[in-house]
């Protein structure tokens, strides 16, 4: 999200992290993920020396030998035979990486994020003219979201949580109303006034049904939604017609509103169509320009975020399978863990002759490398980052070390890239002793454009480091206010059945995300907000479906897809549609350190290779599964307290039977 961080340091050691109040993104606040960054820094399982593969073992070598080896392996290799896989990058590190790839004539930079709003970006570009407009929850009187977990893990949760607090106070004296439509309840859904359980994949049908019910659409939009009458929509989505009418009436009565599309709607073969239908609602309701607002361009486009997606990994995987790449670099991604099992990425990665991984831990991908180069943590390194989602104006976050390095032989990624560039273009980079020197020079050269006109270099640099933020003024994007339903057709919902009758919904939690943080025990120990389970994975299943399958809480069940099988404990949860089950992402590592290895299961392993038809993104909700009992049982380790939900007899948060409540009604 690009939250900016301050660190509390005592006697030369970082003790605590908090949000930087200067940031317009997080305004001094911090989520648990950020707080746990201290444990990443001090983690005992960090890689501390460069490691060279010798058989199945890693042999310690020097950095000089590592650089020599890379230079040797690159001899006679053309740029087309080199691939560089990375997570999202921005700022001066992105610039340096681009310079290095240019120096070897390599155009194969694959930016990969296992959990990314790539379908939403593409749909927004078509609907609004920009991939990431500004969503103003605080200006809306009604917010309708289709699985956008903005309080938990969607785009910028700390920022949106603060907007949500304003939203609840109300606009013009009217308290905001939140309606959440999704197949599996998220943290945002648990806070909603009305939670609506929808059949998996039918979110676009509901969106077009609401447009029809509003009765205000004209032209091709009116023609496109004419067939989505309340009876058809109710039949396909499983939502009573009366509920559809209530949602439409509330949106019509209270303006402005805001409609958001999240992963719950986008994770299907027709995910782009779902997202387009949902965005159409904002146009019909007149929200564009009011709660969907324009943003500013980053005035230094070379530093703008290179955003990741899963289509990039698919492309790389095809090249590896075909033997196209002789040298593979990997930074800030763990594709061996996060790739769909159907892709067989681990096997295809082995076809590259030489594999270099820049890593903090020996994770699953680093374990397959020929050379592992250890990196500094963020708390001991220099850098700049540019947030993708801009809360107000564009900004550059300035990163500086909070303490001396813990381990003598780790290095910052900027320093490593600079050294690699010096091997190829020594004259161009001879004036930079290290990445700090490069960074300082780059900032001061652009001092006037960065707001430092008429300020001497030393003063401006110190002010920049002290504030941690450089705010920028860029040109304002114009949002598209015209809408069309051309090409919009949501496929008819088909009844689930056959050998694999249930949809698998991979759960994205605020703590685990895609699993890169699983080696931080604070996060493993933090109870899941809805189930309160710790240190393990679970299978969420609706009580009615569980009764059909004779499953009770704690039963070890097998979840099987066409691609593979995982085993985990069952958790009966009324906040999920009976036609689906959910298993959280992030756990199930077989490497990465003592706090990650061996805890839980990895749902990525059983995802089928099904893709969104327009963007090529992995359709993460399209995998169909069957669930069967193994005959084994465990006691589910959770923080709900004694039986009945009465914690230590104090009734702090009393639990009632799901038979006694209707989650679709207002609280």
């Amino acid at each position: 999200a690009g939250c900016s961080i301050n660190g509390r340091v005592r006697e030369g050691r970082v003790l605590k992290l908090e949000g930087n109040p200067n940031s317009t993104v997080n305004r001094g606040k911090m989520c648990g993920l950020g707080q746990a960054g201290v444990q990443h820094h001090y983690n005992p399982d960090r890689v501390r020396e460069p490691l060279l593969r010798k058989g199945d073992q890693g042999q310690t070598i020097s950095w000089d030998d590592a650089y020599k080896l890379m230079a040797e392996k690159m001899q006679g290799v053309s740029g087309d035979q080199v691939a560089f896989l990375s997570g999202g990058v921005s700022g001066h590190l992105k610039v340096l990486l681009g310079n290095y790839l240019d120096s070897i004539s390599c155009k194969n930079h694959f930016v990969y994020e296992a959990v990314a709003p790539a379908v939403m970006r593409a749909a927004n570009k078509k609907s609004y003219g920009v991939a990431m407009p500004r969503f103003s929850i605080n200006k809306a009187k009604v917010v309708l979201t289709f699985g956008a977990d903005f309080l938990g893990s969607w785009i910028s949760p700390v920022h949106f949580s603060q907007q949500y607090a304003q939203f609840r106070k109300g606009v013009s004296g009217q308290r905001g109303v939140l309606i959440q439509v999704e197949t599996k309840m998220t943290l945002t859904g648990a806070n909603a006034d009305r939670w609506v359980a929808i059949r998996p994949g039918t979110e676009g049908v509901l969106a077009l049904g609401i447009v029809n019910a509003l009765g205000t659409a004209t032209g091709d939009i009116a023609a496109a939604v004419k067939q989505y009458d309340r009876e058809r929509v109710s039949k396909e989505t499983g939502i009573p017609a009366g509920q559809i009418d209530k949602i439409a009436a509330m949106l019509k009565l209270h303006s402005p509103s805001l409609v958001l599309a999240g992963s719950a709607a986008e994770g299907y073969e027709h995910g782009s169509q779902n997202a387009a239908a949902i965005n159409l609602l904002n146009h019909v309701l007149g929200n564009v320009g009011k709660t969907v607002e324009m943003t500013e361009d980053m005035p230094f486009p070379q530093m703008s975020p290179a955003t990741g997606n899963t289509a990039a990994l698919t492309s790389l995987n095809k090249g590896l399978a075909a033997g196209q790449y002789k040298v593979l670099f990997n930074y800030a991604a763990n594709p061996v863990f996060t790739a769909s099992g159907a892709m067989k990425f681990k096997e295809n990665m082995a076809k590259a002759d030489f594999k270099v991984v820049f890593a903090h831990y020996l994770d699953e991908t680093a374990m397959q490398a020929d050379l592992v180069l250890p990196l500094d943590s963020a708390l001991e390194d220099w850098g700049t980052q540019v947030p993708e989602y801009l809360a107000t104006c564009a900004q550059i976050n300035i990163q500086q070390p909070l303490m001396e390095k813990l381990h003598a032989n780790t290095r910052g990624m900027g320093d490593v890239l600079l050294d690699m560039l010096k091997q190829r273009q020594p004259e161009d980079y001879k004036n930079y002793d290290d990445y700090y020197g490069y960074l300082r020079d780059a900032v001061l050269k652009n001092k006037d454009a960065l707001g430092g006109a008429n300020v001497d270099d030393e003063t401006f640099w110190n002010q920049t480091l002290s504030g941690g933020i450089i705010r920028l003024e860029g040109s304002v994007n114009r949002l598209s206010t015209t809408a069309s339903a051309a090409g919009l057709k949501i496929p008819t919902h088909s009844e689930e059945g056959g050998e694999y009758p249930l949809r698998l919904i991979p759960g994205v939690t605020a703590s685990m995300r895609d699993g890169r943080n699983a080696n931080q025990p604070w996060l493993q120990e933090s109870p899941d907000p809805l189930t309160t389970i710790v240190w393990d994975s679970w299978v969420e299943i609706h009580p009615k479906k569980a009764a059909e399958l004779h499953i009770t809480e704690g039963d070890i069940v097998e979840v099987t897809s066409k691609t593979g099988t995982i085993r985990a404990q069952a958790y009966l949860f009324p906040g999920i549609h009976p036609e689906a089950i959910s298993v959280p992402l992030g756990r199930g590592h077989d490497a990465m350190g003592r706090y990650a290895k061996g805890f839980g299961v990895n749902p990525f392993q059983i995802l089928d290779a099904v893709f969104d038809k327009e963007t090529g993104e992995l359709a993460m909700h399209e995998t169909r599964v069957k669930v069967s009992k193994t005959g084994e049982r465990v006691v589910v380790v959770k923080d709900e307290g004694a039986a009945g939900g009465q914690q230590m007899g104090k009734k702090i948060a009393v639990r009632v039977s799901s038979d006694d409540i209707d989650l679709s009604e207002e609280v």
Side-chain angles (χ1 to χ4, degrees), residues 93-135:
L93 188 67
K94 178 193 171 191
V95 175
L96 266 188
L97 176 56
N99 291 348
Y100 175 71
L101 295 177
D102 288 343
S103 75
I104 59 174
S105 302
C106 174
K107 299 185 183 300
N108 305 314
H109 180 200
F110 300 94
V111 186
Y112 167 58
E113 290 287 343
V115 180
V119 171
M120 184 194 73
R121 293 179 190 128
N124 287 349
K125 188 72 175 177
K126 287 184 177 180
S127 299
Y128 310 128
V130 294
M132 196 63 74
R134 187 171 297 134
F135 300 110

Short mmCIF file of all heavy atoms in Angstrom, two decimals, residues 93-135:
data_model
loop_
_atom_site.label_atom_id
_atom_site.label_comp_id
_atom_site.label_asym_id
_atom_site.label_seq_id
_atom_site.Cartn_x
_atom_site.Cartn_y
_atom_site.Cartn_z
N LEU A 93 15.00 2.18 -7.32
CA LEU A 93 15.36 0.78 -7.54
C LEU A 93 14.82 0.30 -8.89
O LEU A 93 15.50 -0.42 -9.63
CB LEU A 93 14.80 -0.09 -6.41
CG LEU A 93 15.28 -1.56 -6.42
CD1 LEU A 93 16.76 -1.63 -6.13
CD2 LEU A 93 14.51 -2.39 -5.41
N LYS A 94 13.61 0.73 -9.21
CA LYS A 94 13.05 0.39 -10.52
C LYS A 94 13.91 0.98 -11.64
O LYS A 94 14.15 0.32 -12.67
CB LYS A 94 11.63 0.92 -10.62
CG LYS A 94 10.97 0.67 -11.97
CD LYS A 94 9.70 1.47 -12.12
CE LYS A 94 9.16 1.39 -13.55
NZ LYS A 94 8.08 2.35 -13.80
N VAL A 95 14.39 2.20 -11.45
CA VAL A 95 15.23 2.84 -12.46
C VAL A 95 16.53 2.06 -12.64
O VAL A 95 16.95 1.76 -13.77
CB VAL A 95 15.54 4.30 -12.07
CG1 VAL A 95 16.53 4.93 -13.05
CG2 VAL A 95 14.25 5.12 -12.01
N LEU A 96 17.18 1.70 -11.53
CA LEU A 96 18.43 0.94 -11.62
C LEU A 96 18.22 -0.42 -12.27
O LEU A 96 19.04 -0.87 -13.08
CB LEU A 96 19.03 0.74 -10.22
CG LEU A 96 20.06 1.75 -9.72
CD1 LEU A 96 20.66 1.28 -8.41
CD2 LEU A 96 21.18 1.96 -10.75
N LEU A 97 17.13 -1.08 -11.91
CA LEU A 97 16.85 -2.38 -12.50
C LEU A 97 16.65 -2.25 -14.00
O LEU A 97 17.17 -3.06 -14.78
CB LEU A 97 15.61 -3.00 -11.84
CG LEU A 97 15.12 -4.33 -12.42
CD1 LEU A 97 16.23 -5.37 -12.40
CD2 LEU A 97 13.90 -4.83 -11.64
N GLY A 98 15.91 -1.22 -14.42
CA GLY A 98 15.75 -0.99 -15.84
C GLY A 98 17.07 -0.72 -16.55
O GLY A 98 17.30 -1.20 -17.67
N ASN A 99 17.96 0.04 -15.89
CA ASN A 99 19.27 0.31 -16.48
C ASN A 99 20.09 -0.97 -16.64
O ASN A 99 20.78 -1.16 -17.65
CB ASN A 99 20.04 1.30 -15.61
CG ASN A 99 19.44 2.69 -15.63
OD1 ASN A 99 18.58 3.00 -16.45
ND2 ASN A 99 19.86 3.54 -14.70
N TYR A 100 20.01 -1.86 -15.63
CA TYR A 100 20.76 -3.11 -15.74
C TYR A 100 20.22 -3.98 -16.88
O TYR A 100 21.00 -4.53 -17.68
CB TYR A 100 20.71 -3.89 -14.43
CG TYR A 100 21.38 -5.25 -14.57
CD1 TYR A 100 22.76 -5.36 -14.69
CD2 TYR A 100 20.61 -6.41 -14.64
CE1 TYR A 100 23.37 -6.59 -14.87
CE2 TYR A 100 21.22 -7.65 -14.81
CZ TYR A 100 22.59 -7.74 -14.93
OH TYR A 100 23.19 -8.96 -15.11
N LEU A 101 18.90 -4.09 -16.97
CA LEU A 101 18.32 -4.91 -18.03
C LEU A 101 18.65 -4.33 -19.40
O LEU A 101 18.91 -5.08 -20.36
CB LEU A 101 16.81 -5.02 -17.84
CG LEU A 101 16.36 -5.76 -16.57
CD1 LEU A 101 14.84 -5.75 -16.44
CD2 LEU A 101 16.88 -7.20 -16.56
N ASP A 102 18.68 -3.01 -19.51
CA ASP A 102 19.08 -2.38 -20.77
C ASP A 102 20.53 -2.70 -21.10
O ASP A 102 20.89 -2.90 -22.27
CB ASP A 102 18.91 -0.86 -20.70
CG ASP A 102 17.44 -0.43 -20.72
OD1 ASP A 102 16.59 -1.26 -21.11
OD2 ASP A 102 17.16 0.72 -20.33
N SER A 103 21.38 -2.77 -20.08
CA SER A 103 22.81 -3.02 -20.31
C SER A 103 23.07 -4.42 -20.87
O SER A 103 24.11 -4.65 -21.50
CB SER A 103 23.60 -2.83 -19.01
OG SER A 103 23.40 -3.91 -18.11
N ILE A 104 22.15 -5.35 -20.63
CA ILE A 104 22.31 -6.71 -21.17
C ILE A 104 21.31 -6.97 -22.29
O ILE A 104 21.14 -8.12 -22.72
CB ILE A 104 22.17 -7.78 -20.07
CG1 ILE A 104 20.80 -7.70 -19.40
CG2 ILE A 104 23.27 -7.63 -19.03
CD1 ILE A 104 20.53 -8.83 -18.40
N SER A 105 20.64 -5.89 -22.75
CA SER A 105 19.66 -5.98 -23.85
C SER A 105 18.56 -6.98 -23.54
O SER A 105 18.14 -7.77 -24.39
CB SER A 105 20.37 -6.37 -25.16
OG SER A 105 21.36 -5.43 -25.49
N CYS A 106 18.09 -6.95 -22.29
CA CYS A 106 17.04 -7.87 -21.85
C CYS A 106 15.72 -7.12 -21.72
O CYS A 106 15.65 -6.11 -21.02
CB CYS A 106 17.43 -8.51 -20.51
SG CYS A 106 16.13 -9.53 -19.79
N LYS A 107 14.72 -7.61 -22.37
CA LYS A 107 13.38 -7.02 -22.28
C LYS A 107 12.42 -7.93 -21.52
O LYS A 107 11.21 -7.72 -21.52
CB LYS A 107 12.83 -6.74 -23.68
CG LYS A 107 13.69 -5.76 -24.48
CD LYS A 107 13.04 -5.41 -25.80
CE LYS A 107 13.93 -4.49 -26.63
NZ LYS A 107 14.21 -3.22 -25.94
N ASN A 108 12.96 -8.95 -20.88
CA ASN A 108 12.13 -9.96 -20.23
C ASN A 108 12.04 -9.71 -18.72
O ASN A 108 12.50 -10.50 -17.91
CB ASN A 108 12.70 -11.36 -20.49
CG ASN A 108 12.87 -11.65 -21.97
OD1 ASN A 108 11.97 -11.37 -22.76
ND2 ASN A 108 14.02 -12.17 -22.34
N HIS A 109 11.45 -8.57 -18.36
CA HIS A 109 11.20 -8.29 -16.95
C HIS A 109 9.75 -8.66 -16.65
O HIS A 109 8.82 -8.04 -17.16
CB HIS A 109 11.45 -6.81 -16.63
CG HIS A 109 11.21 -6.47 -15.18
ND1 HIS A 109 10.97 -5.18 -14.75
CD2 HIS A 109 11.17 -7.25 -14.06
CE1 HIS A 109 10.80 -5.19 -13.44
NE2 HIS A 109 10.91 -6.43 -13.00
N PHE A 110 9.56 -9.67 -15.83
CA PHE A 110 8.23 -10.15 -15.47
C PHE A 110 7.93 -9.68 -14.05
O PHE A 110 8.62 -10.07 -13.10
CB PHE A 110 8.17 -11.67 -15.55
CG PHE A 110 8.48 -12.22 -16.92
CD1 PHE A 110 9.77 -12.62 -17.25
CD2 PHE A 110 7.49 -12.30 -17.88
CE1 PHE A 110 10.07 -13.12 -18.51
CE2 PHE A 110 7.77 -12.80 -19.15
CZ PHE A 110 9.06 -13.21 -19.46
N VAL A 111 6.90 -8.84 -13.91
CA VAL A 111 6.53 -8.31 -12.60
C VAL A 111 5.34 -9.13 -12.10
O VAL A 111 4.26 -9.10 -12.69
CB VAL A 111 6.17 -6.81 -12.66
CG1 VAL A 111 5.93 -6.27 -11.26
CG2 VAL A 111 7.28 -6.04 -13.36
N TYR A 112 5.56 -9.83 -11.00
CA TYR A 112 4.59 -10.83 -10.55
C TYR A 112 4.12 -10.55 -9.13
O TYR A 112 4.93 -10.31 -8.24
CB TYR A 112 5.24 -12.22 -10.62
CG TYR A 112 4.48 -13.32 -9.91
CD1 TYR A 112 3.16 -13.63 -10.25
CD2 TYR A 112 5.09 -14.06 -8.90
CE1 TYR A 112 2.49 -14.64 -9.60
CE2 TYR A 112 4.42 -15.08 -8.25
CZ TYR A 112 3.11 -15.37 -8.61
OH TYR A 112 2.44 -16.36 -7.96
N GLU A 113 2.83 -10.55 -8.95
CA GLU A 113 2.22 -10.52 -7.62
C GLU A 113 1.16 -11.62 -7.59
O GLU A 113 0.27 -11.66 -8.44
CB GLU A 113 1.57 -9.16 -7.33
CG GLU A 113 2.56 -8.03 -7.14
CD GLU A 113 3.30 -8.08 -5.82
OE1 GLU A 113 2.83 -8.81 -4.91
OE2 GLU A 113 4.35 -7.43 -5.70
N ALA A 114 1.27 -12.50 -6.60
CA ALA A 114 0.36 -13.64 -6.54
C ALA A 114 -1.06 -13.22 -6.23
O ALA A 114 -2.02 -13.85 -6.69
CB ALA A 114 0.85 -14.64 -5.48
N VAL A 115 -1.21 -12.17 -5.45
CA VAL A 115 -2.54 -11.63 -5.12
C VAL A 115 -2.53 -10.16 -5.52
O VAL A 115 -1.99 -9.32 -4.82
CB VAL A 115 -2.84 -11.79 -3.61
CG1 VAL A 115 -4.22 -11.22 -3.29
CG2 VAL A 115 -2.76 -13.25 -3.19
N ALA A 116 -3.11 -9.87 -6.67
CA ALA A 116 -3.05 -8.51 -7.20
C ALA A 116 -4.39 -8.13 -7.81
O ALA A 116 -5.09 -8.99 -8.37
CB ALA A 116 -1.95 -8.41 -8.26
N PRO A 117 -4.77 -6.86 -7.75
CA PRO A 117 -6.03 -6.40 -8.34
C PRO A 117 -5.90 -6.12 -9.83
O PRO A 117 -6.36 -5.09 -10.33
CB PRO A 117 -6.33 -5.12 -7.55
CG PRO A 117 -4.98 -4.56 -7.25
CD PRO A 117 -4.08 -5.76 -7.03
N ALA A 118 -5.27 -7.04 -10.57
CA ALA A 118 -4.97 -6.78 -11.97
C ALA A 118 -6.23 -6.70 -12.83
O ALA A 118 -6.31 -5.90 -13.77
CB ALA A 118 -4.03 -7.87 -12.51
N VAL A 119 -7.22 -7.54 -12.54
CA VAL A 119 -8.47 -7.49 -13.30
C VAL A 119 -9.16 -6.16 -13.06
O VAL A 119 -9.69 -5.53 -13.99
CB VAL A 119 -9.38 -8.67 -12.91
CG1 VAL A 119 -10.77 -8.51 -13.52
CG2 VAL A 119 -8.77 -9.99 -13.36
N MET A 120 -9.15 -5.71 -11.80
CA MET A 120 -9.76 -4.42 -11.47
C MET A 120 -9.06 -3.28 -12.19
O MET A 120 -9.72 -2.36 -12.70
CB MET A 120 -9.71 -4.19 -9.96
CG MET A 120 -10.42 -2.92 -9.52
SD MET A 120 -10.04 -2.43 -7.84
CE MET A 120 -8.37 -1.83 -8.04
N ARG A 121 -7.72 -3.32 -12.24
CA ARG A 121 -6.98 -2.26 -12.94
C ARG A 121 -7.43 -2.17 -14.39
O ARG A 121 -7.66 -1.07 -14.93
CB ARG A 121 -5.48 -2.53 -12.88
CG ARG A 121 -4.85 -2.44 -11.51
CD ARG A 121 -3.36 -2.75 -11.62
NE ARG A 121 -2.72 -2.91 -10.33
CZ ARG A 121 -1.97 -3.95 -9.99
NH1 ARG A 121 -1.77 -4.93 -10.86
NH2 ARG A 121 -1.42 -4.03 -8.80
N ALA A 122 -7.51 -3.33 -15.06
CA ALA A 122 -7.89 -3.34 -16.47
C ALA A 122 -9.32 -2.86 -16.66
O ALA A 122 -9.62 -2.08 -17.59
CB ALA A 122 -7.72 -4.76 -17.05
N ALA A 123 -10.23 -3.29 -15.78
CA ALA A 123 -11.62 -2.87 -15.88
C ALA A 123 -11.76 -1.38 -15.61
O ALA A 123 -12.54 -0.68 -16.27
CB ALA A 123 -12.48 -3.67 -14.90
N ASN A 124 -11.01 -0.86 -14.63
CA ASN A 124 -11.05 0.57 -14.33
C ASN A 124 -10.55 1.39 -15.52
O ASN A 124 -11.08 2.47 -15.82
CB ASN A 124 -10.20 0.88 -13.11
CG ASN A 124 -10.83 0.41 -11.82
OD1 ASN A 124 -12.00 0.03 -11.79
ND2 ASN A 124 -10.06 0.41 -10.74
N LYS A 125 -9.51 0.89 -16.17
CA LYS A 125 -8.95 1.60 -17.32
C LYS A 125 -10.01 1.76 -18.41
O LYS A 125 -10.14 2.84 -19.03
CB LYS A 125 -7.74 0.83 -17.87
CG LYS A 125 -6.96 1.56 -18.94
CD LYS A 125 -6.18 2.72 -18.38
CE LYS A 125 -5.30 3.37 -19.45
NZ LYS A 125 -4.58 4.56 -18.94
N LYS A 126 -10.79 0.71 -18.62
CA LYS A 126 -11.85 0.78 -19.63
C LYS A 126 -13.01 1.66 -19.16
O LYS A 126 -13.59 2.41 -19.95
CB LYS A 126 -12.37 -0.63 -19.93
CG LYS A 126 -11.42 -1.49 -20.74
CD LYS A 126 -12.06 -2.83 -21.08
CE LYS A 126 -11.15 -3.68 -21.95
NZ LYS A 126 -11.79 -4.99 -22.28
N SER A 127 -13.35 1.56 -17.87
CA SER A 127 -14.54 2.25 -17.37
C SER A 127 -14.30 3.72 -17.08
O SER A 127 -15.16 4.57 -17.34
CB SER A 127 -15.04 1.57 -16.09
OG SER A 127 -15.42 0.24 -16.33
N TYR A 128 -13.13 4.02 -16.48
CA TYR A 128 -12.87 5.38 -15.99
C TYR A 128 -11.73 6.09 -16.70
O TYR A 128 -11.53 7.28 -16.50
CB TYR A 128 -12.54 5.34 -14.49
CG TYR A 128 -13.53 4.56 -13.65
CD1 TYR A 128 -13.08 3.57 -12.78
CD2 TYR A 128 -14.89 4.83 -13.70
CE1 TYR A 128 -13.97 2.85 -12.00
CE2 TYR A 128 -15.79 4.11 -12.93
CZ TYR A 128 -15.32 3.12 -12.07
OH TYR A 128 -16.20 2.41 -11.30
N GLY A 129 -10.95 5.34 -17.48
CA GLY A 129 -9.82 5.95 -18.17
C GLY A 129 -8.52 5.87 -17.41
O GLY A 129 -7.46 6.20 -17.95
N VAL A 130 -8.57 5.45 -16.13
CA VAL A 130 -7.36 5.28 -15.33
C VAL A 130 -7.46 3.96 -14.58
O VAL A 130 -8.56 3.50 -14.23
CB VAL A 130 -7.15 6.44 -14.31
CG1 VAL A 130 -6.87 7.75 -15.02
CG2 VAL A 130 -8.36 6.57 -13.40
N ALA A 131 -6.30 3.34 -14.35
CA ALA A 131 -6.30 2.02 -13.71
C ALA A 131 -6.63 2.09 -12.22
O ALA A 131 -7.21 1.16 -11.66
CB ALA A 131 -4.94 1.35 -13.91
N MET A 132 -6.24 3.18 -11.58
CA MET A 132 -6.45 3.29 -10.13
C MET A 132 -6.97 4.67 -9.79
O MET A 132 -6.22 5.56 -9.36
CB MET A 132 -5.14 3.01 -9.38
CG MET A 132 -5.33 2.72 -7.90
SD MET A 132 -6.29 1.24 -7.55
CE MET A 132 -5.11 -0.04 -7.96
N PRO A 133 -8.29 4.90 -9.97
CA PRO A 133 -8.86 6.19 -9.55
C PRO A 133 -8.88 6.28 -8.03
O PRO A 133 -8.51 5.34 -7.33
CB PRO A 133 -10.27 6.14 -10.13
CG PRO A 133 -10.60 4.68 -10.16
CD PRO A 133 -9.30 3.98 -10.47
N ARG A 134 -9.31 7.41 -7.53
CA ARG A 134 -9.41 7.59 -6.08
C ARG A 134 -10.83 7.24 -5.63
O ARG A 134 -11.80 7.78 -6.15
CB ARG A 134 -9.07 9.04 -5.71
CG ARG A 134 -8.98 9.31 -4.22
CD ARG A 134 -8.43 10.69 -3.97
NE ARG A 134 -7.07 10.81 -4.48
CZ ARG A 134 -6.61 11.82 -5.21
NH1 ARG A 134 -7.41 12.83 -5.51
NH2 ARG A 134 -5.38 11.85 -5.62
N PHE A 135 -10.93 6.32 -4.67
CA PHE A 135 -12.22 5.91 -4.14
C PHE A 135 -12.46 6.62 -2.82
O PHE A 135 -11.72 6.41 -1.86
CB PHE A 135 -12.27 4.40 -3.95
CG PHE A 135 -12.06 3.61 -5.22
CD1 PHE A 135 -10.91 2.87 -5.42
CD2 PHE A 135 -13.02 3.62 -6.21
CE1 PHE A 135 -10.71 2.15 -6.58
CE2 PHE A 135 -12.84 2.90 -7.39
CZ PHE A 135 -11.68 2.17 -7.57
#
